[in-house]
Amino acid sequence: MVLAQLSRSISRAMQQMNNTTVVDEKVLNDCLNEISRALLQADVQFSMVRDMQTNIKKIVNLDDIAAGHNKRRIIQQAIFNELCKMLDPGKPLFTPMKGKSSVIMFVGLQGSGKTTTCTKYAYYHQKKGWRPALVCADTFRAGAFDQLKQNATKAKIPFYGSYMESDPVKIAGEGVERFKKEDYDLIIVDTSGRHKQEAALFEEMRQVAEITKPDLVIFVMDSSIGQAAFDQAQAFKQSVSVGAVIITKMDGHAKGGGSLSAVAATKSPVIFIGTGEHMDEFEVFDVESFVRRLLGLRDWSGFMDKIHEVVPADQQPELVQKLSERTFTFRLMYELLQNLMKMGPVGQMLSAFGAEVMPKGQEKESQAKFKRYMTIMDSMTDAELDSTNPKLMNESRIIRIARGSGRTVQDVMEMIQLYKMFAKNLSKTMKGLKVPKKGGMNARSQSMTAQHVSKALPPQMLKQMGGMGGLQSLMKQMGSN
Ligand SMILES: Nc1nc2c(ncn2[C@@H]2O[C@H](COP(=O)(O)OP(=O)(O)OP(=O)(O)O)[C@@H](O)[C@H]2O)c(=O)[nH]1
């Protein structure tokens, strides 16, 4: 996808700056010009790019940076902050609460992926223990109700709509009222797609908002819309109070920069991205992690989330224990790779590595690489597999393992590098997790630890462990070991 190109261009610009011996005004300007060019090519609005340049130059005053300070780091941080600012309008987002009915209304252009995204949003929350329900107020497109009905049925999510009634305002009002009575906590209203010139449809959208009184209006935008994104998003913002954005089709060939413009136009944050047609091809959008990837800085948070998703239920308590001990061994990495291999194509999961490391479309190569690493680990001794000290892997061990596995020393080094990155990221993820090795925990620290662990676990894993109660009793057992 072209977003990967944007990332490549930006990280190349940063790399060029890093390769210079002296960072002066010219080097800074070259770097900023290169980044600006990349952003413009990715459809980010000119005024936003210009503002970003101006702000960075204001912040990074090379003459004022005292000797001894790392100018490159200061520039990188300024670029990072500005890109984050572009994507994060800083406005607090409405957050629905479990157990209390919230109405979420979806609006967007025709074909932007609204109906699909409504179900994805409902399904995502259902997996996290919410009670979502769907209302189809799209009477404009024939087949919209059928589509929503089909998706909702597949995901076992209650829905409301009508083949007979042609007034979307009436359907929306009735649907919301019914699901409120039935205590659903996320009532999701799908509306007809429209174009900014369609005044009648905009009026209809306003009326649907009036009757359903949404707590949050989500603007759904196709990432391929490009420069037009700003105007379209603004037109919606002027008619209903858009509070969040979801960008769809990030898996395609979209330039993606339009998403930055939509954020600017609606002054609302991107909360999710759609990465495919299937129900679970939907990711929480994290600004810092997105920008980190754009800058070519490796991001691991998404990868860890995916790992949590693929560990089989029977191994989960053990994994929690291992994680809570904050030990990450080669053996544990072997188990994780084994689980990932069972999943089949790992491309989606690997996107969290960033396009540079595991490019899309090269899933086969990535899988082959994992297999190679596992063959290498097959030649390691038990002591090596159970060690948490990468320094143990000295030259002679590396040569022995390479020979034993029929792989090159370079392959073994790569595998060790992957291990180190895993271990580092895990220790970050698990920071603050205080499980005493010996003796018990008091009730308060048990519950706090369980809360911390539950955040790191995917919902279905938590469910299989018996929810928070099950997790707490597991933590109790661990504490008393
Ligand atoms: N590749 C990909 N396709 C998507 C994504 N989200 C939606 N689609 C596809 O986009 C097409 C349009 O999606 P819909 O959900 O029908 O769009 P809509 O906005 O409800 O359309 P209207 O009702 O006409 O406004 C469908 O073929 C979806 O499968 C995504 O994240 N990635």
Side-chain angles (χ1 to χ4, degrees), residues 159-378:
F159 58 90
Y160 185 88
S162 171
Y163 289 111
M164 316 300 287
E165 180 57 64
S166 58
D167 180 3
V169 183
K170 191 157 181 270
I171 297 177
E174 284 172 2
V176 168
E177 196 187 324
R178 175 173 142 191
F179 288 132
K180 270 191 177 171
K181 264 194 205 134
E182 293 174 10
D183 287 333
Y184 282 93
D185 46 21
L186 265 190
I187 304 167
I188 298 158
V189 182
D190 185 18
T191 61
S192 330
R194 59 211 78 219
H195 191 268
K196 78 179 167 95
Q197 269 92 29
E198 292 166 327
L201 277 175
F202 264 83
E203 179 49 32
E204 176 196 294
M205 180 177 74
R206 262 191 295 269
Q207 286 177 19
V208 171
E210 211 171 281
I211 196 153
T212 57
K213 298 193 178 37
D215 297 283
L216 177 66
V217 177
I218 299 179
F219 174 61
V220 178
M221 198 196 89
D222 180 333
S223 57
S224 64
I225 178 174
Q227 285 284 348
F230 189 88
D231 288 346
Q232 290 287 356
Q234 208 165 39
F236 279 89
K237 177 78 180 176
Q238 279 158 5
S239 301
V240 283
S241 120
V242 173
V245 178
I246 294 181
I247 317 279
T248 61
K249 310 184 193 179
M250 290 289 272
D251 50 310
H253 295 285
K255 294 189 177 182
S259 44
L260 298 168
S261 304
V263 172
T266 57
K267 307 220 170 359
S268 307
V270 180
I271 50 172
F272 287 97
I273 52 170
T275 53
E277 296 193 51
H278 296 288
M279 200 105 73
D280 52 4
E281 288 174 320
F282 194 56
E283 293 173 19
V284 172
F285 183 77
D286 178 57
V287 173
E288 290 198 2
S289 129
F290 181 82
V291 172
R292 210 165 280 134
R293 282 196 236 170
L294 275 188
L295 292 180
L297 308 169
R298 211 154 288 155
D299 178 65
W300 290 88
S301 50
F303 182 66
M304 290 313 294
D305 286 348
K306 294 289 180 193
I307 281 185
H308 290 316
E309 276 174 29
V310 298
V311 177
D314 58 343
Q315 289 172 24
Q316 288 160 11
E318 206 187 326
L319 179 72
V320 174
Q321 175 148 16
K322 283 174 183 164
L323 294 181
S324 66
E325 285 165 358
R326 280 183 258 170
T327 54
F328 186 71
T329 58
F330 282 99
R331 198 185 295 279
L332 186 50
M333 179 161 93
Y334 190 99
E335 284 169 24
L336 289 174
L337 293 186
Q338 209 168 23
N339 289 326
L340 296 175
M341 300 291 297
K342 276 188 222 145
M343 274 178 76
V346 288
Q348 186 208 354
M349 183 273 306
L350 291 174
S351 64
F353 271 108
E356 291 290 341
V357 187
M358 295 284 182
K360 251 197 163 156
Q362 291 186 21
E363 287 88 354
K364 271 198 187 132
E365 288 84 337
S366 308
Q367 269 190 307
K369 209 177 232 185
F370 280 7
K371 267 192 201 148
R372 211 157 53 225
Y373 293 160
M374 286 165 72
T375 315
I376 291 171
M377 283 187 271
D378 283 336

Side-chain angles (χ1 to χ4, degrees), residues 18-285:
N18 286 340
N19 289 343
T20 54
T21 38
V22 181
V23 178
D24 55 16
E25 210 64 37
K26 182 178 178 310
V27 171
L28 172 62
N29 282 337
D30 286 350
C31 176
L32 290 182
N33 287 339
E34 191 68 29
I35 291 177
S36 301
R37 221 182 341 265
L39 288 169
L40 288 170
Q41 275 169 4
D43 276 340
V44 181
Q45 263 215 326
F46 175 74
S47 59
M48 290 172 69
V49 176
R50 188 197 48 211
D51 290 351
M52 182 203 76
Q53 274 229 24
T54 317
N55 290 345
I56 294 174
K57 280 191 179 163
K58 250 191 246 162
I59 297 161
V60 183
N61 193 339
L62 290 172
D63 296 335
D64 288 352
I65 299 176
H69 279 82
N70 189 336
K71 290 182 183 174
R72 289 181 186 85
R73 183 115 40 87
I74 292 170
I75 294 171
Q76 181 167 309
Q77 189 62 43
I79 295 171
F80 180 81
N81 291 347
E82 278 305 308
L83 287 172
C84 286
K85 226 163 71 188
M86 269 186 181
L87 278 159
D88 185 0
K91 194 179 84 170
L93 173 77
F94 165 79
T95 32
M97 266 165 47
K98 267 187 198 160
K100 183 180 175 292
S101 289
S102 299
V103 177
I104 317 290
M105 177 173 159
F106 279 65
V107 301
L109 291 181
Q110 208 167 355
S112 57
K114 247 177 310 81
T115 307
T116 312
T117 308
C118 280
T119 333
K120 284 181 176 179
Y121 183 84
Y123 182 64
Y124 173 88
H125 284 91
Q126 189 191 48
K127 282 195 294 176
K128 288 198 173 296
W130 292 72
R131 295 187 69 229
L134 289 157
V135 178
C136 178
D138 180 359
T139 51
F140 184 73
R141 175 166 66 92
F145 179 43
D146 271 334
Q147 187 189 348
L148 185 117
K149 196 170 147 184
Q150 222 173 50
N151 291 343
T153 310
K154 217 189 297 170
K156 298 194 178 65
I157 297 165
F159 58 90
Y160 185 88
S162 171
Y163 289 111
M164 316 300 287
E165 180 57 64
S166 58
D167 180 3
V169 183
K170 191 157 181 270
I171 297 177
E174 284 172 2
V176 168
E177 196 187 324
R178 175 173 142 191
F179 288 132
K180 270 191 177 171
K181 264 194 205 134
E182 293 174 10
D183 287 333
Y184 282 93
D185 46 21
L186 265 190
I187 304 167
I188 298 158
V189 182
D190 185 18
T191 61
S192 330
R194 59 211 78 219
H195 191 268
K196 78 179 167 95
Q197 269 92 29
E198 292 166 327
L201 277 175
F202 264 83
E203 179 49 32
E204 176 196 294
M205 180 177 74
R206 262 191 295 269
Q207 286 177 19
V208 171
E210 211 171 281
I211 196 153
T212 57
K213 298 193 178 37
D215 297 283
L216 177 66
V217 177
I218 299 179
F219 174 61
V220 178
M221 198 196 89
D222 180 333
S223 57
S224 64
I225 178 174
Q227 285 284 348
F230 189 88
D231 288 346
Q232 290 287 356
Q234 208 165 39
F236 279 89
K237 177 78 180 176
Q238 279 158 5
S239 301
V240 283
S241 120
V242 173
V245 178
I246 294 181
I247 317 279
T248 61
K249 310 184 193 179
M250 290 289 272
D251 50 310
H253 295 285
K255 294 189 177 182
S259 44
L260 298 168
S261 304
V263 172
T266 57
K267 307 220 170 359
S268 307
V270 180
I271 50 172
F272 287 97
I273 52 170
T275 53
E277 296 193 51
H278 296 288
M279 200 105 73
D280 52 4
E281 288 174 320
F282 194 56
E283 293 173 19
V284 172
F285 183 77

